[in-house]
Amino acid sequence: MKAKAGDFILGNHLLLTFGLFIMVLFFLGGSSRGDTQSLMILRPVSALMLGYAMWRVQKSHLQNGFWPMMICGVALSISWLYLVPVPGDWWQNLSGRQMMSVIDSTAFGAPQSRVLAVNPLAAENYTFALLVPATAALFLIQLSREQQFLLLPFCLFLGFATALLGLLQIIGDPRGSLYLYRLTNPGSAVGVFANRNHQAIFLALLFPMLAAYATVNIRNPAQAKIRGWVAFAGGTVLVPLLLVTGSRGGLISGTLGIIAAFWIYRKPAVYASRDKLNTVGLDWRIPASVVAIGALAAVTMLFSRAEAINRFFDDEVGGGSRTDFWKQIVTMVCKQLPFGNGPGGFPDAYRVQEPTELLRSNYLNHAHNDWLELIADLGVFGLGITFLCVAIFYVYFTRTRSDRSERTRILGKVGVMGLAILMVGSIGDYPVRAPFLSVMAVIFIIWSIGCSDTKDKKLVSTKIMDYGNQVS
């Protein structure tokens, strides 16, 4: 056993290093704010991990992971473009810069050379923030398909860990030490995140992962039974934990996650060898899951702990709604095309143009619609990235139906549905701006694309992978 464990560590040191990186993100990457103190540790660690991944990468890895690395390169190139100084005479003619041009002319007597971004510090922060998902992408394209599957139980473990922490948070002191961030939703089940919406969306992502865990890489009926019960119990417990987060967007994402789980789950193939007559038919755990989920949701509502459902029918704080802000943001976007405000420039640009009737006691730090904010910040570049993401999503959604191995097909479905949940969650919030969820998005992209799927490039031996399957 010691020899096998040693072989597993030696053969999977890249996977274990990436797992360590995810653990650091899990504890330090739950906030989307650029002034979070944990970033002082997280970003230097990301830079070191990026250097290690670049030292290990080979040409074949880059060829096989062309699309994810191209997306990272495009995103970084756009962020650098907004940090390039432009002449003052040209800069003052750009839409949305008139007020700053007047200030420059008054203070200095002439327009000043400035970078394209409205807020250069926010644009720099945006560039450094991209370091985290870029590091994850460079690691993931070097992992074999078996190694990528081993990330599945690991992510499930982290998901239930943050769910348990969220449960302890709503039981304990609303301002207690169990909350990892000072600026958070006190009294809500936020887990390792600063925002309850991000916690709820991450819990929603666990449903399709549980379905995949109960379906593939199963060696015998006994293992299939154990994994089936784990998925059944885990999915049932997730429902009340999702409801008590108080996230309306999470409620919608959770519903999509449950639907995705039923679409992904298949009766494990090992049952066919035991009884061919039972290969066709409805697994009894599926209707049982529906009944259990409905019962737990009803009990949670009965005891008035379904904060997400209660808030779903309430107005926004301050008497307004997000749609009122979105209408104004759409007007702002139209005025500031083609370049937008620059990365991270939305809060400053919105404060200048905010109408009196929408003034509140708190400021709008994000548009609470990441698709809209992306276009507001990056203009035509944001539109291009949006269309690129939608096109890639569509292409790989159809690709999951292709005739590949069961494990690759199931992981592809999990990746596609994980991206769909994040896309839907981004309509009312900004989940991918949290470093940990940005890496989850990269994992889903790699799963859906199927990098390292060509004979796994003999990165690890069959013996080591058999041991890995036993561990999972």
Side-chain angles (χ1 to χ4, degrees):
M1 179 61 70
K2 290 183 179 180
K4 288 184 178 180
D7 290 341
F8 178 77
I9 293 173
L10 289 175
N12 293 274
H13 63 279
L14 195 68
L15 173 64
L16 296 175
T17 304
F18 182 59
L20 178 63
F21 178 56
I22 294 179
M23 286 295 295
V24 173
L25 282 168
F26 183 69
F27 289 107
L28 302 179
S31 174
S32 60
R33 294 182 63 92
D35 56 357
T36 305
Q37 293 181 354
S38 60
L39 295 180
M40 297 174 62
I41 301 174
L42 178 59
R43 287 180 178 172
V45 169
S46 300
L48 291 173
M49 290 290 185
L50 179 62
Y52 176 72
M54 291 177 65
W55 176 63
R56 290 275 310 174
V57 74
Q58 300 176 10
K59 183 179 179 181
S60 58
H61 298 137
L62 295 175
Q63 291 174 340
N64 202 30
F66 172 78
W67 282 107
M69 298 313 301
M70 190 202 70
I71 293 174
C72 291
V74 169
L76 284 169
S77 299
I78 292 174
S79 67
W80 289 333
L81 176 65
Y82 280 90
L83 293 173
V84 176
V86 297
D89 293 335
W90 186 65
W91 193 89
Q92 68 175 350
N93 294 322
L94 295 175
S95 56
R97 274 75 171 174
Q98 289 78 13
M99 179 178 291
M100 298 180 68
S101 298
V102 171
I103 294 173
D104 284 345
S105 299
T106 303
F108 303 103
Q112 301 295 302
S113 176
R114 290 180 176 272
V115 298
L116 194 58
V118 170
N119 188 335
L121 292 178
E124 291 177 5
N125 174 69
Y126 178 89
T127 303
F128 286 121
L130 290 176
L131 207 67
V132 175
T135 301
L138 200 56
F139 266 102
L140 283 163
I141 63 173
Q142 300 180 57
L143 299 180
S144 69
R145 204 58 173 168
E146 283 86 355
Q147 289 173 319
Q148 291 175 17
F149 178 80
L150 292 178
L151 292 173
L152 183 64
F154 181 57
C155 292
L156 286 172
F157 170 77
L158 296 180
F160 284 103
T162 187
L164 176 61
L165 179 59
L167 183 62
L168 295 176
Q169 287 168 342
I170 60 174
I171 294 174
D173 184 1
R175 294 286 182 178
S177 59
L178 291 178
Y179 291 88
L180 303 184
Y181 300 93
R182 183 175 62 87
L183 296 177
T184 184
N185 298 123
S188 298
V190 297
V192 297
F193 297 95
N195 189 317
R196 61 186 163 203
N197 295 321
H198 300 169
Q199 164 83 343
I201 290 174
F202 183 44
L203 295 183
L205 294 172
L206 300 182
F207 287 109
M209 287 193 282
L210 281 171
Y213 183 70
T215 301
V216 296
N217 258 29
I218 295 176
R219 292 175 287 109
N220 54 63
Q223 188 183 37
K225 185 176 182 180
I226 293 174
R227 289 198 185 184
W229 278 110
V230 169
F232 173 74
T236 304
V237 169
L238 278 177
V239 174
L241 293 176
L242 190 63
L243 292 175
V244 299
T245 58
S247 170
R248 289 165 292 188
L251 188 63
I252 298 173
S253 299
T255 303
L256 180 59
I258 293 172
I259 295 173
F262 289 132
W263 177 58
I264 291 171
Y265 177 76
R266 295 290 183 273
K267 182 175 288 188
V270 293
Y271 285 122
S273 60
R274 186 182 63 176
D275 186 0
K276 294 184 179 180
L277 296 177
N278 292 333
T279 57
V280 180
L282 182 66
D283 194 312
W284 67 269
R285 281 185 291 266
I286 294 179
S289 298
V290 175
V291 174
I293 287 171
L296 278 174
V299 170
T300 307
M301 294 178 63
L302 180 65
F303 287 96
S304 301
R305 296 302 301 178
E307 186 66 19
I309 294 179
N310 295 335
R311 292 185 70 247
F312 196 84
F313 297 101
D314 290 341
D315 291 334
E316 293 285 345
V317 178
S321 66
R322 289 181 181 175
T323 55
D324 296 331
F325 297 106
W326 292 346
K327 293 176 183 177
Q328 178 61 26
I329 295 169
V330 170
T331 303
M332 183 182 73
V333 168
C334 295
K335 290 180 179 179
Q336 297 186 339
L337 289 175
F339 296 108
N341 309 307
F346 167 78
D348 301 293
Y350 182 78
R351 278 195 289 269
V352 173
Q353 305 183 39
E354 186 174 15
T356 306
E357 62 271 16
L358 292 181
L359 288 176
R360 299 289 183 269
S361 58
N362 52 347
Y363 75 100
L364 200 67
N365 65 327
H366 286 289
H368 291 276
N369 183 322
D370 226 14
W371 297 102
L372 193 57
E373 185 170 347
L374 182 67
I375 300 172
D377 282 351
L378 302 182
V380 293
F381 298 116
L383 282 171
I385 292 176
T386 300
F387 284 123
L388 179 63
C389 291
V390 172
I392 291 175
F393 173 78
Y394 174 76
V395 168
Y396 290 105
F397 177 80
T398 57
R399 184 175 175 178
T400 56
R401 302 177 183 178
S402 62
D403 186 18
R404 296 183 290 173
S405 67
E406 183 189 38
R407 179 182 57 214
T408 300
R409 189 168 58 252
I410 293 297
L411 271 184
K413 288 183 177 182
V414 175
V416 167
M417 294 312 301
L419 289 173
I421 292 172
L422 289 173
M423 287 178 179
V424 171
S426 296
I427 294 176
D429 209 82
Y430 41 93
V432 183
R433 293 182 184 268
F436 179 74
L437 287 179
S438 72
V439 169
M440 289 301 304
V442 174
I443 291 175
F444 290 137
I445 290 173
I446 298 298
W447 281 354
S448 61
I449 289 177
C451 291
S452 299
D453 196 31
T454 55
K455 297 182 180 180
D456 294 322
K457 301 191 183 299
K458 298 182 179 180
L459 293 176
V460 288
S461 66
T462 304
K463 182 178 180 181
I464 293 175
M465 283 299 97
D466 287 340
Y467 178 78
N469 292 336
Q470 294 175 16
V471 173
S472 66

